[in-house]
Amino acid sequence: PAAAGTCPVSVQAMAFDPFGDGYQQDPPEYLRWAREQEPTFFSPQLGYWVVTRFDAIKAIFRDNITFSPSIALEKITPTGPEANAVLASYGYAMNRTLVNEDEPAHMPRRRVLMEPFTPEALKAHEPMVRELTRQYVDRFINDGRADLVDQLLWEVPLTVALHFLGVPEEDMDALRRYSIAHTVNTWGRPKPEEQVAVAHAVGNFWQLAGQILAKMRLDPSGPGWMKYGIRQQVLHPEVVTDSYLHSMMMAGIVAAHETTANATANAMKLLLQHPRAWQDICEDPSLIPNAVEECLRHNGSVAAWRRLATTDVVIDGIAIPAGSKLLIVTSSANHDERHFADADLFDIRRDNASEHLTFGYGAHQCMGKNLARMEMQIFLEEFTRRLPHMRLAQQTFSYVPNTSFRGPEHLWVEWDAALNPERNTP
Ligand code: HEM
């Protein structure tokens, strides 16, 4: 808090840069000072109010009228005229999906699209996730070394996501490129010269989403959430709109796969950095579900989310005017001592680990959370069983600079293939 007549923005708030290495490497550590001294502050570099404590963030999630999610997918860095012209040339018109839809439109749409996320519906995907994981592990298990991101964690969640959506397996490499471009376009700070390349990728992604949707409309029968959406459109045309379907086809591919790929990479890294915890889950796989929650709490794949204040509000004693944009740093909330005892400690037996805010909270809470959990649990079950002797290779971790989607670009692990347990149990 500033004395009268002094600049109201503190030195730390002035320096806050979510695109720099400090935030990229460890967002909650980077914001420790804020949680302790200035839990809600204005960032002049970003033009956002940054909220860092658990209680404030949960209260914001709980009230989606005062705190509108409408800006959740807005470009955090406005692009220049050249990139905008490129996007326009592709007819780019990403609009409201669910995550950025206001009431009263949001809830009826969420309700009519919920069924494919029920536990019974999700069960149907489990054998495929396990089978795919096994096939991918087979490819490198005798190598003694792998980049888990490139060799499994990107493609398996992408394949699962496409199956879940009902999309035929498309060009995986193109989708990976497009998804990263979408992340940079939405949550990053591309330099002017990068903006044009990003805009072309995002434009192509938008058109591909439109083509996939058009093909799907020819025969929307059978399993898949997007096909289900097309069928629900017939019954509820004003709830499930054309604009929704096209936007969701693109956003859904990212929501369902990039989040989960990153979450698993973060989880594997964290577990291997804590060999005792890794050994514990190898010896007792019943610990895996809570270990997954603790990984999502300690180092989740969504580091921050956004809301727009629709009226004047007070957060942590700070008056914030209507129309303000908020960056709510969920990864910081997850390390708030006021809610999680010894919050920085990684404890796979923590009893309130699942209270993390990595999936958001309230009306918009992640619909795919149980699909993501299931995938993460299966990955850990397969890795602990088949590669319990795996360890982290020496490496430096890099991240795609952005406020929200977070996971290492590569994750090198190594093991002695001669000691693979399956050599002894044919
Ligand atoms: C919403 C995170 C996986 C589909 C969200 C939100 C977050 C999030 C932070 C916004 C919550 C809010 O505003 O309160 C994650 C993380 C994942 C993950 C960390 C993986 C570890 C998935 C998967 C799907 C999915 C696999 C499957 C399609 C959705 C949908 C919404 C959503 C449809 C919008 C819900 C609404 O606004 O009503 N997710 N997600 N997510 N997520 Fe996920």
Side-chain angles (χ1 to χ4, degrees):
T6 62
C7 175
V9 178
S10 70
V11 174
Q12 286 109 318
M14 203 70 129
F16 174 73
D17 174 12
F19 308 106
D21 200 51
Y23 182 92
Q24 293 312 313
Q25 291 293 336
D26 192 344
E29 180 56 34
Y30 182 68
L31 279 165
R32 178 186 302 282
W33 67 273
R35 280 195 302 288
E36 280 158 21
Q37 299 159 34
E38 208 180 341
T40 290
F41 65 89
F42 184 73
S43 160
Q45 286 193 40
L46 200 60
Y48 275 65
W49 290 87
V50 181
V51 188
T52 64
R53 280 190 188 163
F54 186 92
D55 285 348
I57 292 179
K58 190 161 175 179
I60 289 168
F61 274 129
R62 195 181 274 130
D63 181 356
N64 63 323
I65 307 298
T66 307
F67 301 102
S68 158
S70 56
I71 61 167
L73 301 181
E74 186 178 286
K75 278 183 215 162
I76 204 161
T77 305
T79 40
E82 206 186 334
N84 292 343
V86 169
L87 281 173
S89 75
Y90 289 94
Y92 180 70
M94 170 63 105
N95 205 322
R96 305 290 181 109
T97 54
L98 282 161
V99 82
N100 58 351
E101 183 62 280
D102 281 312
E103 305 305 343
H106 164 260
M107 256 310 163
R109 187 177 296 157
R110 181 170 165 118
R111 236 175 259 126
V112 304
L113 296 170
M114 190 54 106
E115 198 195 270
F117 289 100
T118 55
E120 310 80 72
L122 291 181
K123 267 226 149 345
H125 299 279
E126 211 179 299
M128 188 210 35
V129 178
R130 197 171 298 278
E131 184 49 35
L132 267 177
T133 309
R134 288 189 178 161
Q135 284 170 13
Y136 274 74
V137 173
D138 286 342
R139 294 182 191 169
F140 58 70
I141 192 160
N142 290 321
D143 297 350
R145 189 173 153 76
D147 173 1
L148 293 184
V149 173
D150 275 356
Q151 293 178 253
L152 189 148
L153 293 179
W154 199 271
E155 276 185 25
V156 174
L158 178 53
T159 312
V160 175
L162 295 178
H163 276 255
F164 177 79
L165 299 171
V167 174
E169 281 176 38
E170 294 285 333
D171 181 346
M172 297 275 185
D173 289 335
L175 283 178
R176 180 173 182 177
R177 243 185 8 259
Y178 294 169
S179 294
I180 294 171
H182 171 74
T183 294
V184 173
N185 184 51
T186 311
W187 296 286
R189 173 148 295 179
K191 296 192 182 66
E193 62 274 20
E194 285 170 296
Q195 287 178 10
V196 170
V198 168
H200 279 292
V202 171
N204 278 311
F205 195 4
W206 176 254
Q207 293 207 334
L208 177 62
Q211 288 154 14
I212 295 171
L213 185 63
K215 222 192 238 162
M216 209 181 256
R217 279 188 190 282
L218 300 175
D219 177 16
S221 65
W225 188 48
M226 291 309 298
K227 290 181 177 171
Y228 183 77
I230 293 171
R231 299 200 296 272
Q232 289 293 71
Q233 185 179 40
V234 178
L235 305 173
H236 311 278
E238 49 321 299
V239 177
V240 184
T241 58
D242 285 343
S243 164
Y244 161 78
L245 284 172
H246 193 161
S247 297
M248 191 45 127
M249 183 57 86
M250 179 168 152
I253 290 172
V254 178
H257 105 272
E258 208 174 333
T259 53
T260 312
N262 282 331
T264 315
N266 289 331
M268 295 295 268
K269 171 171 173 274
L270 199 51
L271 284 160
L272 294 176
Q273 281 169 335
H274 295 82
R276 181 72 238 188
W278 176 253
Q279 196 187 328
D280 284 353
I281 62 168
C282 288
E283 282 163 13
D284 181 1
S286 74
L287 294 171
I288 289 177
N290 204 63
V292 164
E293 295 309 313
E294 178 66 348
C295 289
L296 287 166
R297 180 194 74 84
H298 199 281
N299 192 7
S301 53
V302 172
W305 211 243
R306 284 181 283 169
R307 290 291 190 261
L308 176 72
T310 58
T311 57
D312 292 352
V313 288
V314 175
I315 302 173
D316 288 322
I318 307 287
I320 292 175
S324 297
K325 295 178 177 188
L326 311 177
L327 184 74
I328 50 178
V329 189
T330 45
S331 54
S332 168
N334 290 343
H335 281 251
D336 188 344
E337 292 287 338
R338 289 155 206 81
H339 192 82
F340 296 104
D342 211 350
D344 295 331
L345 180 76
F346 178 62
D347 174 9
I348 59 171
R349 294 177 180 82
R350 185 183 289 277
D351 58 12
N352 68 345
S354 66
E355 291 170 16
H356 64 75
L357 297 176
T358 304
F359 290 125
Y361 182 77
H364 287 270
Q365 195 184 38
C366 179
M367 285 167 86
K369 63 183 180 177
N370 290 329
L371 177 58
R373 286 173 165 141
M374 182 238 284
E375 284 187 61
M376 292 178 72
Q377 289 175 17
I378 290 177
F379 293 147
L380 291 185
E381 282 164 16
E382 292 299 315
F383 277 110
T384 51
R385 194 171 56 78
R386 301 184 70 188
L387 288 166
H389 51 322
M390 157 171 107
R391 48 186 192 272
L392 221 44
Q394 196 63 40
Q395 65 203 293
T396 5
F397 296 102
S398 62
Y399 298 84
V400 174
N402 78 98
T403 56
S404 298
F405 276 31
R406 196 171 171 281
E409 291 180 288
H410 301 283
L411 182 66
W412 283 100
V413 292
E414 56 198 16
W415 62 93
D416 183 350
L419 300 179
N420 287 358
E422 37 211 71
R423 299 212 167 185
N424 309 321
T425 46

